[in-house]
């Protein structure tokens, strides 16, 4: 204790004379002090920030093409789908241009009389059955073509009391001729004949008796003799189909 007091006195009196590098000389050494208590552990430091992303590496060399794989097994067929409901009906379209229809037809018969027709003159079938286009003249017995084309004409005649031969004439040329012999039968018989011909406008067709002894065209209340003709097809109509 005396040594400690001596040191303090010396330090106070001459703080600068015997000090060098914070060491006091000329004072006796003391005993080692008691070890201090260990300090507490420090708190953990804050987490450091993430480092920057490195640069992308160079692309690698492409590998070799691999072998083709085996073909897979076909899958099962799917079930058919269910048909959907029908849609609504569409609107009706605009009516198109129709093909022009050409018509020409007539039919006539002789009146109920026993008068024989005139030789080499058109036979008059004076009772008109059909003649909408008025191409047949019941007064002259002639049909006059107004529409060019193919026509068919036919005559159905009752033969009684004498034989009959008649011709279907076109412009004073006989197109076809028909004959029926009468053998004094008690009842009338019939004679029919027809012809197909092409006509131009103003061509005329009629029936004609050419032999005086064979003029037995007959008609009565129970039997008729008729002359009929009609257009099969028109050349004008065929020309439209070729356009």
């Amino acid at each position: 204790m005396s040594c400690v007091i001596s040191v303090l006195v010396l330090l106070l009196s001459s703080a600068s004379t015997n000090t060098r590098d914070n060491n006091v000389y000329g004072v006796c050494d003391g005993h080692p002090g008691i070890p201090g208590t260990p300090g507490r552990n420090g708190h953990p430091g804050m987490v450091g920030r993430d480092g920057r992303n490195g640069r992308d590496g160079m692309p690698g060399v492409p590998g070799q093409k691999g072998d083709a794989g085996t073909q897979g097994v076909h899958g099962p067929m799917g079930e058919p789908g269910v048909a959907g409901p029908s849609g609504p009906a569409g609107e009706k379209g605009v009516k198109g241009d129709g093909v022009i229809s050409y018509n020409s037809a007539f039919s006539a018969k002789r009146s109920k009389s026993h008068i024989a027709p005139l030789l080499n003159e058109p036979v008059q079938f004076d009772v008109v059955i059909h003649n909408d286009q008025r191409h047949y003249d019941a007064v002259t017995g002639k049909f006059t073509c107004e529409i060019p084309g193919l026509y068919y004409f036919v005559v159905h005649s009752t033969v009684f009391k004498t034989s009959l031969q008649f011709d279907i004439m076109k412009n004073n040329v006989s197109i076809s001729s028909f004959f029926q012999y009468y053998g004094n039968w008690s009842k009338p018989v019939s004679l029919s004949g027809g012809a197909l011909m092409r006509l131009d406008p103003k061509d005329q067709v009629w029936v004609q008796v050419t032999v005086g002894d064979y003029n037995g065209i007959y008609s009565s209340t129970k039997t008729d003799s008729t002359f009929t003709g009609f257009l099969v097809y028109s050349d004008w109509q065929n020309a439209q189909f070729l356009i």
Side-chain angles (χ1 to χ4, degrees):
M1 186 67 181
S2 60
C3 289
V4 173
I5 296 173
S6 298
V7 170
L8 292 174
V9 172
L10 289 174
L11 292 171
L12 292 175
S13 61
S14 58
S16 61
T17 58
N18 295 320
T19 61
R20 185 180 179 180
D21 297 329
N22 293 329
N23 291 324
V24 178
Y25 295 93
V27 181
C28 60
D29 296 329
H31 298 284
I34 299 172
T37 305
R40 296 179 180 177
N41 296 330
H43 297 289
M46 298 178 64
V47 178
R49 292 181 297 180
D50 294 336
R52 296 180 180 178
N53 294 332
R55 296 180 179 178
D56 295 337
M58 295 294 291
V61 178
Q64 296 181 353
K65 183 178 180 180
D67 297 333
T70 58
Q71 185 175 359
V73 180
H74 290 286
M77 182 177 292
E79 296 180 359
V82 180
S86 301
E91 297 181 359
K92 185 177 181 180
V94 180
K95 184 177 180 181
D97 297 331
V99 177
I100 299 175
S101 177
Y102 298 99
N103 300 308
S104 180
F106 76 94
S107 184
K109 65 181 180 179
R110 283 180 60 81
S111 59
K112 301 175 180 61
S113 67
H114 301 278
I115 301 174
L118 298 176
L119 185 65
N120 295 324
E121 293 289 337
V123 178
Q124 292 181 335
F125 295 85
D126 52 331
V127 179
V128 172
I129 300 172
H130 176 85
N131 192 25
D132 286 354
Q133 295 78 31
R134 300 184 183 277
H135 295 165
Y136 173 74
D137 188 343
V139 176
T140 63
K142 292 182 178 182
F143 169 83
T144 302
C145 174
E146 298 292 341
I147 302 172
L150 189 68
Y151 286 79
Y152 182 71
F153 298 91
V154 61
V155 179
H156 297 286
S157 177
T158 300
V159 180
F160 188 52
K161 293 186 178 181
T162 184
S163 300
L164 174 63
Q165 179 177 348
F166 67 80
D167 289 23
I168 297 178
M169 307 291 292
K170 172 186 174 183
N171 299 335
N172 289 318
V173 177
S174 175
I175 301 300
S176 55
S177 182
F178 305 91
F179 175 77
Q180 172 64 56
Y181 174 76
Y182 177 69
N184 295 320
W185 303 298
S186 59
K187 294 182 180 180
V189 294
S190 61
L191 172 62
S192 299
L196 189 68
M197 64 186 76
R198 184 176 300 277
L199 300 180
D200 294 321
K202 305 309 177 182
D203 283 343
Q204 290 185 319
V205 178
W206 64 88
V207 179
Q208 183 171 298
V209 173
T210 58
V211 180
D213 294 337
Y214 303 149
N215 59 359
I217 293 182
Y218 181 81
S219 62
S220 68
T221 57
K222 296 182 179 180
T223 183
D224 289 310
S225 294
T226 61
F227 179 34
T228 301
F230 55 87
L231 175 67
V232 178
Y233 61 80
S234 169
D235 290 338
W236 287 343
Q237 188 172 2
N238 291 341
Q240 287 188 351
F241 291 137
L242 296 177
I243 298 176

